[in-house]
Amino acid sequence: MVDYADLPYRRNVGIALFNRKGELFVAQRSDLPGSVWQCPQGGIDKDEDPQTAALRELWEETGCNKATLLAEKTEWISYDLPRELLGKAFKGRYRGQTQKWFVFGFDGDDTEIKLDLHEPAEFNAWEWLPPQELLQRNLGFKAELYAALLPELEALFQAASNNWLRTSRA
């Protein structure tokens, strides 16, 4: 019998992508039942630094390559997989994930968002919304994580975005 508490956490990055209105990019997972929403995120490759991983994941999942790094959450945040996913998700090698979160400002145009650049596509729908509205969505087992994380990500965006917002296109 495997003791899941002995398994390591998978290293991962999370991306809070904000537009110039202060709205957060959120997307609906294509691989989970029940219309589960989240911010872009993904694993960190061997010998890859977290910021590089965040930019890579942002590109792979959204097609976005026009983003300005505004802030980085200092601490890593970890979560355990729910019991029903232990031994199944991540090929059974991890008990959950430990994430480094980054806050980016979106410098592109909405028409540049492409969810189908990689197969299989992780997301099948997306939208911009006020950050706290994400908590009204089905977040699956990550609901508590987002409830704890969103206020800090929003505060990081507010504190770091003044110069970025001043460069706003008319």
Side-chain angles (χ1 to χ4, degrees), residues 42-97:
I44 300 172
D45 293 339
K46 186 177 178 358
D47 299 324
E48 185 177 38
D49 71 88
Q51 185 177 334
T52 301
L55 289 166
R56 177 183 51 75
E57 285 292 336
L58 186 60
W59 165 252
E60 288 177 0
E61 294 182 0
T62 70
C64 174
N65 63 359
K66 294 181 180 173
T68 298
L69 177 62
L70 301 176
E72 175 180 332
K73 183 174 171 13
T74 307
E75 306 84 19
W76 290 73
I77 186 168
S78 299
Y79 67 86
D80 289 333
L81 291 168
R83 175 167 275 133
E84 64 271 12
L85 293 179
L86 286 170
K88 297 174 186 157
F90 310 126
K91 300 179 183 174
R93 296 185 302 200
Y94 302 99
R95 67 186 280 185
Q97 298 194 103

Side-chain angles (χ1 to χ4, degrees), residues 5-149:
D6 291 337
L7 292 176
Y9 286 101
R10 177 178 179 249
R11 288 176 23 111
N12 182 279
V13 291
I15 299 120
L17 180 66
F18 288 87
N19 66 16
R20 293 188 183 273
K21 296 177 187 174
E23 298 168 320
L24 182 65
F25 177 93
V26 299
Q28 182 180 36
R29 300 271 316 219
S30 60
D31 60 344
L32 298 176
S35 184
V36 176
W37 291 78
Q38 70 177 47
C39 293
Q41 65 176 51
I44 300 172
D45 293 339
K46 186 177 178 358
D47 299 324
E48 185 177 38
D49 71 88
Q51 185 177 334
T52 301
L55 289 166
R56 177 183 51 75
E57 285 292 336
L58 186 60
W59 165 252
E60 288 177 0
E61 294 182 0
T62 70
C64 174
N65 63 359
K66 294 181 180 173
T68 298
L69 177 62
L70 301 176
E72 175 180 332
K73 183 174 171 13
T74 307
E75 306 84 19
W76 290 73
I77 186 168
S78 299
Y79 67 86
D80 289 333
L81 291 168
R83 175 167 275 133
E84 64 271 12
L85 293 179
L86 286 170
K88 297 174 186 157
F90 310 126
K91 300 179 183 174
R93 296 185 302 200
Y94 302 99
R95 67 186 280 185
Q97 298 194 103
T98 186
Q99 296 181 312
K100 181 66 151 178
W101 278 83
F102 294 88
V103 175
F104 286 92
F106 180 58
D107 294 315
D109 181 88
D110 286 358
T111 60
E112 298 170 35
I113 301 288
K114 305 284 186 229
L115 302 181
D116 59 354
L117 293 180
H118 291 84
E119 289 295 326
E122 186 162 339
F123 301 123
N124 57 18
W126 69 274
E127 63 184 277
W128 297 107
L129 51 85
Q132 292 302 312
E133 283 188 23
L134 178 58
L135 300 177
Q136 313 299 310
R137 301 292 173 97
N138 177 7
L139 302 171
F141 67 87
K142 296 179 187 171
E144 287 182 26
L145 172 79
Y146 276 104
L149 187 62

